[in-house]
Amino acid sequence: MVWLYLILGIPFLFAFLVPVLHKRFTPLIHTGWFVVWIPLLIFGILLSTVPTISSGGIIGLSLPWIPAYDINITLFLDGLSLIFGLLISGVGFLVILYSIYYLSKHKEALHNFYIYLLLFMGAMLGVVLSDNIFALYVFWEMTSISSFLLIAYWFEREKSRSGARKSLLITVFGGLAMLAGFILLTMMTDTYSIREMVHSLDGIHSHTLFLPAMVLILLGAFTKSAQFPFSIWLPDAMEAPTPVSAYLHSATMVKAGIYLVARFTPIFGGGEVWFWLVTGIGLMTLFYGSFNAIRQTDLKALLAYSTISQLGLIMSLLGLGSAGLAPEAGNAQAAYALAIFTALFHLVNHSTFKGCLFMVVGIIDHETGTRDIRKLGGLMHIMPISFTLALIGCLSMAGLPPFNGFLSKELFFTAVLNAGEISVVIPVVAWLASVLTFVYSLIMVFKTFTGQPRVKSGKQAHEAPLGMLLPPMVLAALVVLLFFFPNVLVHYVLAPAWAAVLPSLARENLLTVHVSPWHGVTPELLMTLGVIILGGTLYKTLKKWVKLYRTYPQSLTLNHIYETALELMESLSLSLTKRYMTGSLRDYLIYILSFIVVAVGGALVLAQGIAFDPSHDAAFSIYELALLAGMVVCAITVLLAETRLTAIIAVGALGFLVVFFFVLFRAPDLALTQLVVETITTVLFLLCFYHLPKLQKETTPLPSKVVNGLLSLAVGLVMTLVALSANGNPLPESIAGYYENAYKLAGAKNIVNAILVDFRGFDTMLEILVLSMAGLGVYTLIKLRMAGGKENERS
Amino acid sequence: MIKGILFWVIFLSLCFSTLSILITIYRCLKGPTASDRVQALDVLGINIIAAVAVFSVFLRTTAFFEVILLIGILSFIGTIAFARFIERGIVIERQHSD
């Protein structure tokens, strides 16, 4: 079963080979021909596991990554992963085949395209095959990044870049929320493995972290799957090349959120919050997407909103199905559980017809040069095959027989009718959304292909080459085949996936279904008939009521809110930064010093560290008092000096007095050094003096003077308090006794010098280094300024 | 420690030197011109020399004698630097004018 690693590894490894092949073979062979066999290989490997999976087996493998933290690339393949794996590799194969004919080998940077696409494919397979949630998260973000790269494939276009940025912002926001949710989940279950989480559910529903974890993970799923109100990135992602739209934004990436919800249903499902969040958001997205799809004039935007709507449908079904896990559902468990099956079934169906439709739109774009519905028309006779394919896809999307969309739509109605017991709103909204779906499906096929050809584009429209038509043909064939023989798929692939989503019900053998196109005159059939009648009428009278859309204010659209929020955040942070980053050193010093006062003083007060203990203090004599008075006078003079020379002299006097203090406290070496340093500093001040401007009477406004004064007093007070308290609190014993053995240990009679060069010689060495660096620095400053002085003046 | 009359002599002389240091500081701060202040600084150095010497006697140590010599040298250098500055505006002249 090492094959599974091969599945995951091949796309990434081959991505490295692509540029080499591209460079070597470009003018001869389209690079896509080298890539196209990879998804086919993966598809084959996955197909070979179908017998194992359909008989209830699970394939698992673990590759150590960070074993010390129990983070490993653990792969496991059950029914759910298999469906997604087959979709990713199958549609991937068709899309790459399609892209070979769609992208020109002369004009496009094909190596970039296929590297991004392979990265995406590998990441997506990683998402659906990972058991370790951190590996899952890593692959999840890789899909976001590769999708970002693919959307901005034509990076010289402004719209591509903004679409890519929007999708990255929204999906990464959701991804980070999901990571937080994952971490909360591991705190509750104490494992990183999803499988083990499913088995250790005791008490998880009453855990305090349960709700935050659920909401955060759902946030990740909703942003990725373009659920309301995070759906806005998907229509903008249509700036990508059409194969990318077909692959990422209809069949795979947008279903990662669906996968996540399905995967975590056994853990979170069964509660009311999960039910209403998933179902509610799903239904809202379903309605919002279908409502907005009608007003679109760009075919790809229409398909984007249609995708949003269909994803909402699948999401709401997953929510409805979670009711089957609730213990109070009783006998209705199996009926609710059918919704999960429907979700999986429609997931497959949607991938087939939506992939087909995107490819057809790409063909139309390629052959006529436009995707605008208002400019298209009458293509039926020019492009009969494309028309047939579009018809099949759209009717399946609308939910008509004899196409697979009909089956899942009927099952959807069964599910919502069933949920009508919980709330009547659910079936009503679902039915209305289906009517709107029917309308935009008709718009798409009839406005494009029937009527008179309107604006002639530069190109002479004609049917696409066979290679381009082949992939959508395969998908359209699947659409029809799945209608007539759905139970093959159901038995081999969907049933195990269903069991994977609802393992507890599967153990009780509650999950049985037989899909058949005809099941008598049921309420579902009547609902479908209603959809056709009302939808048909609405389509016929489209011109009369489509104006309604214009009455909806622009300022309330989600896109507008997103743009305004971005602008607001930028201007807010800019004004905030401008407010405190004034560029004035005085302000920064105020921040730093106030922080010191607050942090140090606050800590002192909070820790109740203020303590005065004069009992250890030495007695002070009259000389010290007199010297102190002299120093205070000198310091005040420095503050109040009117000329700079006075200040320098006062500082010199202060230094001499400190020397005398050193003498009083019996520190001859310090006194010597202090003397020399003080004199040199004074001389240096005088040296600079000549070059400095006259000390001006600063006209500081009174408030800032008061602030300065208060702050300096506060800093002085805090430091005094700290010093006194440090003395007042009990101190550990001094280690000075050790150094008194200087003569015995180091052969020195001068303890200070022995410490400096012997006991703690390292400090001395580094201080010598500091002095040398200061000297070199001064030399460099002066020399460089002299050399470059003239240039600086000029500039 | 020193006892008896010598203690009082030393005590008094330290008191006087401290007093004269304070008076010198007054001149140093008040002095109407810079020259007054520089001279006061010079006197301050000499006063400190005297005080350190008396203090050394009091402590019965020779450890501070280097300080006395150094103050002598440095207070001389400092005064010369200030004097040059007041007279010529700069302390160290360049070798060749440019």
Side-chain angles (χ1 to χ4, degrees), chain A residues 599-647:
Chain A
V600 177
L604 204 61
V605 172
L606 284 182
Q608 294 173 331
I610 300 176
F612 301 123
D613 180 15
S615 63
H616 302 297
D617 294 357
F620 51 85
S621 60
I622 187 107
Y623 330 115
E624 287 151 22
L625 269 185
L627 277 176
L628 198 65
M631 283 174 75
V632 169
V633 172
C634 286
I636 290 173
T637 315
V638 175
L639 273 183
L640 301 179
E642 303 249 334
T643 63
R644 194 170 271 128
L645 200 57
T646 316

Short mmCIF file of all heavy atoms in Angstrom, two decimals, chain A residues 599-647:
data_model
loop_
_atom_site.label_atom_id
_atom_site.label_comp_id
_atom_site.label_asym_id
_atom_site.label_seq_id
_atom_site.Cartn_x
_atom_site.Cartn_y
_atom_site.Cartn_z
N ALA A 599 5.51 50.31 34.24
CA ALA A 599 5.86 48.90 34.42
C ALA A 599 6.63 48.68 35.72
O ALA A 599 6.26 47.84 36.55
CB ALA A 599 6.70 48.42 33.23
N VAL A 600 7.70 49.48 35.91
CA VAL A 600 8.51 49.27 37.10
C VAL A 600 7.75 49.69 38.35
O VAL A 600 7.66 48.94 39.34
CB VAL A 600 9.85 50.03 36.98
CG1 VAL A 600 10.65 49.88 38.24
CG2 VAL A 600 10.63 49.52 35.78
N GLY A 601 7.17 50.90 38.29
CA GLY A 601 6.43 51.38 39.46
C GLY A 601 5.24 50.49 39.76
O GLY A 601 4.98 50.14 40.91
N GLY A 602 4.53 50.09 38.68
CA GLY A 602 3.36 49.23 38.87
C GLY A 602 3.76 47.90 39.49
O GLY A 602 3.12 47.42 40.43
N ALA A 603 4.86 47.34 38.99
CA ALA A 603 5.32 46.05 39.53
C ALA A 603 5.69 46.21 41.00
O ALA A 603 5.39 45.34 41.83
CB ALA A 603 6.51 45.54 38.74
N LEU A 604 6.31 47.34 41.29
CA LEU A 604 6.73 47.58 42.66
C LEU A 604 5.51 47.64 43.59
O LEU A 604 5.50 47.05 44.67
CB LEU A 604 7.50 48.91 42.71
CG LEU A 604 8.48 49.09 43.85
CD1 LEU A 604 9.55 48.05 43.78
CD2 LEU A 604 9.10 50.48 43.78
N VAL A 605 4.47 48.34 43.12
CA VAL A 605 3.28 48.48 43.96
C VAL A 605 2.54 47.15 44.04
O VAL A 605 2.13 46.72 45.13
CB VAL A 605 2.36 49.58 43.38
CG1 VAL A 605 1.04 49.60 44.11
CG2 VAL A 605 3.05 50.93 43.49
N LEU A 606 2.38 46.48 42.86
CA LEU A 606 1.60 45.24 42.85
C LEU A 606 2.25 44.16 43.69
O LEU A 606 1.57 43.39 44.36
CB LEU A 606 1.43 44.75 41.41
CG LEU A 606 0.40 45.53 40.58
CD1 LEU A 606 0.29 44.92 39.20
CD2 LEU A 606 -0.96 45.50 41.27
N ALA A 607 3.59 44.10 43.62
CA ALA A 607 4.28 43.07 44.39
C ALA A 607 4.49 43.48 45.84
O ALA A 607 5.09 42.75 46.61
CB ALA A 607 5.63 42.75 43.75
N GLN A 608 3.97 44.65 46.19
CA GLN A 608 4.12 45.20 47.54
C GLN A 608 5.59 45.17 47.97
O GLN A 608 5.95 44.72 49.04
CB GLN A 608 3.26 44.41 48.52
CG GLN A 608 1.79 44.60 48.22
CD GLN A 608 0.91 43.74 49.05
OE1 GLN A 608 1.33 42.67 49.45
NE2 GLN A 608 -0.30 44.19 49.30
N GLY A 609 6.44 45.65 47.04
CA GLY A 609 7.88 45.56 47.28
C GLY A 609 8.45 46.80 47.95
O GLY A 609 9.63 46.85 48.26
N ILE A 610 7.60 47.82 48.16
CA ILE A 610 8.16 49.05 48.74
C ILE A 610 8.46 48.81 50.22
O ILE A 610 7.57 48.47 51.00
CB ILE A 610 7.16 50.20 48.59
CG1 ILE A 610 6.88 50.43 47.09
CG2 ILE A 610 7.70 51.48 49.22
CD1 ILE A 610 5.85 51.48 46.82
N ALA A 611 9.72 48.92 50.56
CA ALA A 611 10.09 48.66 51.95
C ALA A 611 11.31 49.51 52.30
O ALA A 611 12.26 49.57 51.51
CB ALA A 611 10.42 47.19 52.14
N PHE A 612 11.25 50.18 53.42
CA PHE A 612 12.41 50.95 53.86
C PHE A 612 12.91 50.35 55.17
O PHE A 612 12.15 50.13 56.10
CB PHE A 612 12.02 52.43 54.08
CG PHE A 612 11.49 53.06 52.85
CD1 PHE A 612 10.23 53.63 52.83
CD2 PHE A 612 12.23 53.05 51.68
CE1 PHE A 612 9.73 54.20 51.69
CE2 PHE A 612 11.73 53.62 50.52
CZ PHE A 612 10.48 54.19 50.53
N ASP A 613 14.19 50.10 55.16
CA ASP A 613 14.75 49.49 56.36
C ASP A 613 16.06 50.20 56.66
O ASP A 613 17.11 49.82 56.15
CB ASP A 613 14.98 48.00 56.14
CG ASP A 613 15.57 47.35 57.37
OD1 ASP A 613 15.53 48.00 58.44
OD2 ASP A 613 16.08 46.22 57.25
N PRO A 614 16.04 51.28 57.46
CA PRO A 614 17.27 52.06 57.68
C PRO A 614 18.24 51.39 58.64
O PRO A 614 19.32 51.92 58.86
CB PRO A 614 16.75 53.38 58.24
CG PRO A 614 15.39 53.09 58.77
CD PRO A 614 14.88 51.82 58.16
N SER A 615 17.85 50.21 59.17
CA SER A 615 18.70 49.64 60.22
C SER A 615 20.08 49.23 59.70
O SER A 615 21.06 49.28 60.43
CB SER A 615 18.01 48.43 60.84
OG SER A 615 17.82 47.45 59.86
N HIS A 616 20.16 48.83 58.40
CA HIS A 616 21.46 48.43 57.87
C HIS A 616 22.28 49.61 57.37
O HIS A 616 23.44 49.44 57.03
CB HIS A 616 21.28 47.46 56.69
CG HIS A 616 20.52 46.24 57.07
ND1 HIS A 616 20.98 45.33 58.00
CD2 HIS A 616 19.33 45.77 56.64
CE1 HIS A 616 20.09 44.37 58.13
NE2 HIS A 616 19.07 44.60 57.32
N ASP A 617 21.64 50.79 57.29
CA ASP A 617 22.33 51.91 56.65
C ASP A 617 23.49 52.40 57.51
O ASP A 617 23.42 52.41 58.74
CB ASP A 617 21.35 53.06 56.42
CG ASP A 617 20.29 52.67 55.41
OD1 ASP A 617 20.41 51.54 54.88
OD2 ASP A 617 19.38 53.46 55.17
N ALA A 618 24.58 52.83 56.85
CA ALA A 618 25.71 53.40 57.56
C ALA A 618 25.36 54.82 57.98
O ALA A 618 24.52 55.48 57.35
CB ALA A 618 26.94 53.40 56.66
N ALA A 619 26.00 55.32 59.04
CA ALA A 619 25.78 56.70 59.44
C ALA A 619 26.44 57.61 58.43
O ALA A 619 27.46 57.27 57.84
CB ALA A 619 26.39 56.92 60.82
N PHE A 620 25.84 58.76 58.15
CA PHE A 620 26.48 59.67 57.18
C PHE A 620 27.03 60.87 57.92
O PHE A 620 26.54 61.28 58.98
CB PHE A 620 25.54 60.06 56.06
CG PHE A 620 24.22 60.57 56.52
CD1 PHE A 620 24.06 61.91 56.86
CD2 PHE A 620 23.13 59.72 56.64
CE1 PHE A 620 22.85 62.38 57.29
CE2 PHE A 620 21.93 60.20 57.07
CZ PHE A 620 21.77 61.53 57.39
N SER A 621 28.07 61.44 57.30
CA SER A 621 28.76 62.53 58.00
C SER A 621 28.41 63.85 57.33
O SER A 621 27.74 63.90 56.31
CB SER A 621 30.27 62.30 57.93
OG SER A 621 30.65 62.28 56.58
N ILE A 622 28.92 64.90 57.91
CA ILE A 622 28.59 66.25 57.45
C ILE A 622 29.18 66.53 56.08
O ILE A 622 28.59 67.22 55.25
CB ILE A 622 29.06 67.29 58.48
CG1 ILE A 622 28.59 68.72 58.12
CG2 ILE A 622 30.56 67.30 58.63
CD1 ILE A 622 27.51 69.15 59.03
N TYR A 623 30.39 65.89 55.76
CA TYR A 623 31.01 66.19 54.44
C TYR A 623 30.13 65.66 53.33
O TYR A 623 29.95 66.27 52.29
CB TYR A 623 32.37 65.53 54.26
CG TYR A 623 33.16 65.34 55.50
CD1 TYR A 623 33.47 64.08 55.96
CD2 TYR A 623 33.62 66.46 56.21
CE1 TYR A 623 34.20 63.90 57.10
CE2 TYR A 623 34.35 66.28 57.37
CZ TYR A 623 34.64 64.99 57.82
OH TYR A 623 35.35 64.82 58.95
N GLU A 624 29.61 64.47 53.59
CA GLU A 624 28.77 63.88 52.53
C GLU A 624 27.55 64.75 52.28
O GLU A 624 27.17 64.99 51.12
CB GLU A 624 28.35 62.47 52.95
CG GLU A 624 29.49 61.48 52.85
CD GLU A 624 29.36 60.34 53.84
OE1 GLU A 624 28.25 60.07 54.30
OE2 GLU A 624 30.40 59.74 54.15
N LEU A 625 26.97 65.26 53.34
CA LEU A 625 25.81 66.14 53.17
C LEU A 625 26.18 67.38 52.38
O LEU A 625 25.49 67.77 51.43
CB LEU A 625 25.28 66.57 54.53
CG LEU A 625 24.19 65.68 55.14
CD1 LEU A 625 23.68 66.31 56.43
CD2 LEU A 625 23.06 65.51 54.15
N ALA A 626 27.34 67.97 52.75
CA ALA A 626 27.77 69.19 52.06
C ALA A 626 28.03 68.89 50.58
O ALA A 626 27.61 69.64 49.69
CB ALA A 626 29.04 69.72 52.71
N LEU A 627 28.72 67.77 50.30
CA LEU A 627 29.00 67.42 48.90
C LEU A 627 27.71 67.18 48.14
O LEU A 627 27.55 67.61 46.99
CB LEU A 627 29.84 66.13 48.86
CG LEU A 627 31.33 66.32 49.05
CD1 LEU A 627 32.01 64.97 49.09
CD2 LEU A 627 31.89 67.16 47.91
N LEU A 628 26.75 66.52 48.80
CA LEU A 628 25.46 66.26 48.17
C LEU A 628 24.78 67.56 47.79
O LEU A 628 24.28 67.73 46.68
CB LEU A 628 24.60 65.47 49.16
CG LEU A 628 23.42 64.75 48.54
CD1 LEU A 628 23.93 63.67 47.61
CD2 LEU A 628 22.55 64.16 49.62
N ALA A 629 24.83 68.53 48.74
CA ALA A 629 24.22 69.82 48.45
C ALA A 629 24.88 70.44 47.23
O ALA A 629 24.20 70.95 46.31
CB ALA A 629 24.36 70.73 49.67
N GLY A 630 26.24 70.37 47.18
CA GLY A 630 26.94 70.92 46.03
C GLY A 630 26.52 70.25 44.74
O GLY A 630 26.27 70.91 43.71
N MET A 631 26.37 68.94 44.76
CA MET A 631 25.98 68.22 43.55
C MET A 631 24.58 68.61 43.10
O MET A 631 24.32 68.81 41.92
CB MET A 631 26.04 66.70 43.80
CG MET A 631 27.45 66.17 43.78
SD MET A 631 27.52 64.45 44.23
CE MET A 631 26.91 63.72 42.76
N VAL A 632 23.66 68.75 44.07
CA VAL A 632 22.30 69.14 43.71
C VAL A 632 22.31 70.51 43.05
O VAL A 632 21.67 70.73 42.01
CB VAL A 632 21.40 69.13 44.97
CG1 VAL A 632 20.06 69.78 44.67
CG2 VAL A 632 21.20 67.71 45.46
N VAL A 633 23.08 71.42 43.63
CA VAL A 633 23.15 72.77 43.06
C VAL A 633 23.68 72.70 41.63
O VAL A 633 23.14 73.32 40.70
CB VAL A 633 24.03 73.67 43.94
CG1 VAL A 633 24.26 75.00 43.25
CG2 VAL A 633 23.37 73.89 45.29
N CYS A 634 24.75 71.90 41.43
CA CYS A 634 25.33 71.76 40.08
C CYS A 634 24.30 71.21 39.10
O CYS A 634 24.15 71.71 37.98
CB CYS A 634 26.53 70.82 40.10
SG CYS A 634 27.97 71.55 40.84
N ALA A 635 23.59 70.17 39.53
CA ALA A 635 22.61 69.55 38.63
C ALA A 635 21.53 70.54 38.24
O ALA A 635 21.15 70.64 37.07
CB ALA A 635 22.00 68.33 39.31
N ILE A 636 21.05 71.31 39.23
CA ILE A 636 20.01 72.30 38.92
C ILE A 636 20.55 73.36 37.98
O ILE A 636 19.86 73.81 37.06
CB ILE A 636 19.47 72.91 40.23
CG1 ILE A 636 18.67 71.84 40.97
CG2 ILE A 636 18.59 74.11 39.94
CD1 ILE A 636 18.24 72.25 42.34
N THR A 637 21.83 73.73 38.16
CA THR A 637 22.43 74.72 37.27
C THR A 637 22.44 74.21 35.83
O THR A 637 22.15 74.96 34.90
CB THR A 637 23.88 75.02 37.69
OG1 THR A 637 23.90 75.20 39.08
CG2 THR A 637 24.39 76.24 37.00
N VAL A 638 22.78 72.94 35.65
CA VAL A 638 22.79 72.38 34.30
C VAL A 638 21.41 72.53 33.67
O VAL A 638 21.26 72.90 32.51
CB VAL A 638 23.20 70.90 34.32
CG1 VAL A 638 23.10 70.28 32.95
CG2 VAL A 638 24.60 70.75 34.85
N LEU A 639 20.38 72.28 34.49
CA LEU A 639 19.02 72.37 33.97
C LEU A 639 18.66 73.79 33.56
O LEU A 639 18.00 74.01 32.55
CB LEU A 639 18.03 71.90 35.04
CG LEU A 639 17.72 70.42 35.11
CD1 LEU A 639 16.67 70.17 36.16
CD2 LEU A 639 17.22 69.94 33.77
N LEU A 640 19.09 74.73 34.36
CA LEU A 640 18.62 76.10 34.15
C LEU A 640 19.60 76.95 33.35
O LEU A 640 19.34 78.13 33.13
CB LEU A 640 18.36 76.77 35.50
CG LEU A 640 17.33 76.07 36.40
CD1 LEU A 640 17.17 76.79 37.72
CD2 LEU A 640 15.98 76.00 35.68
N ALA A 641 20.74 76.36 32.92
CA ALA A 641 21.79 77.16 32.29
C ALA A 641 21.26 77.90 31.07
O ALA A 641 20.50 77.36 30.27
CB ALA A 641 22.95 76.26 31.89
N GLU A 642 21.70 79.15 30.94
CA GLU A 642 21.26 79.95 29.79
C GLU A 642 22.23 79.82 28.63
O GLU A 642 21.83 79.91 27.48
CB GLU A 642 21.17 81.42 30.20
CG GLU A 642 20.25 81.66 31.37
CD GLU A 642 19.00 82.39 30.97
OE1 GLU A 642 19.07 83.12 29.96
OE2 GLU A 642 17.95 82.24 31.62
N THR A 643 23.53 79.64 28.97
CA THR A 643 24.49 79.42 27.89
C THR A 643 25.07 78.02 28.04
O THR A 643 25.05 77.44 29.12
CB THR A 643 25.65 80.44 27.97
OG1 THR A 643 26.32 80.23 29.20
CG2 THR A 643 25.14 81.86 27.89
N ARG A 644 25.61 77.55 26.90
CA ARG A 644 26.09 76.18 26.91
C ARG A 644 27.36 76.03 27.76
O ARG A 644 27.57 75.02 28.39
CB ARG A 644 26.34 75.73 25.48
CG ARG A 644 26.50 74.24 25.34
CD ARG A 644 26.50 73.82 23.92
NE ARG A 644 25.17 73.52 23.42
CZ ARG A 644 24.65 74.04 22.32
NH1 ARG A 644 25.33 74.92 21.64
NH2 ARG A 644 23.47 73.70 21.92
N LEU A 645 28.16 77.08 27.75
CA LEU A 645 29.42 76.99 28.50
C LEU A 645 29.14 76.80 29.99
O LEU A 645 29.81 75.99 30.66
CB LEU A 645 30.24 78.28 28.27
CG LEU A 645 31.72 78.16 28.58
CD1 LEU A 645 32.35 77.05 27.76
CD2 LEU A 645 32.44 79.47 28.30
N THR A 646 28.16 77.49 30.50
CA THR A 646 27.79 77.33 31.91
C THR A 646 27.43 75.88 32.18
O THR A 646 27.87 75.29 33.18
CB THR A 646 26.58 78.22 32.23
OG1 THR A 646 26.76 79.49 31.65
CG2 THR A 646 26.39 78.34 33.72
N ALA A 647 26.66 75.32 31.29
CA ALA A 647 26.23 73.93 31.48
C ALA A 647 27.44 73.01 31.51
O ALA A 647 27.54 72.11 32.35
CB ALA A 647 25.27 73.52 30.38
#
